[in-house]
Amino acid sequence: MKPGETVLVNYADGVVTHTAITASCTSTSSAQTPYKESGYAWSYHDHHLSAGCAGGTSVNGLLETKATIGWTARDFETVTVDPNSSMYWATDAKCKGSSNTSWHGLNSIGSSVTAQSATKTLACSV
């Protein structure tokens, strides 16, 4: 891959993006499609930096619901990912009702989205 190129792969349970930042530095970011379990909505997140990256980065994992305009974060977790390492973490939100609600999980670095799952309707309102 050349610097600036990105490959997006959609899976049944999420999405993965692989990006060439420089000739020797790549990042891989994934966000799992949300699901409901034990009265909570959940999404899992992963981010990897290759050994050739000059430094680490902070990655935000968000679990969001559809709002009247745009999306609203229901959980937000920030992790630091160092070169030649991966971080795997979860976001969750307690269901306060069972109305059908649209959810998605996403990762971002600053305001740049690095991975966003498909939207999933769950019987889980907040």
Side-chain angles (χ1 to χ4, degrees), residues 32-86:
Q32 182 187 39
T33 302
Y35 65 96
K36 180 181 174 183
E37 184 177 305
S38 302
Y40 286 81
W42 293 88
S43 181
Y44 284 90
H45 311 264
D46 183 89
H47 196 88
H48 173 80
L49 288 177
S50 67
C53 297
T57 190
S58 293
V59 182
N60 307 306
L62 292 90
L63 178 62
E64 297 184 322
T65 57
K66 183 79 171 134
T68 303
I69 298 174
W71 292 82
T72 300
R74 299 301 177 179
D75 194 16
F76 180 95
E77 302 288 338
T78 301
V79 300
T80 299
V81 183
D82 294 318
N84 200 33
S85 69
S86 296

Side-chain angles (χ1 to χ4, degrees), residues 87-109:
M87 288 293 291
Y88 181 71
W89 70 104
T91 51
D92 65 83
K94 185 167 180 55
C95 302
K96 295 181 181 173
S98 59
S99 299
N100 284 342
T101 304
S102 296
W103 295 80
H104 70 210
L106 69 83
N107 295 353
S108 69
I109 297 174

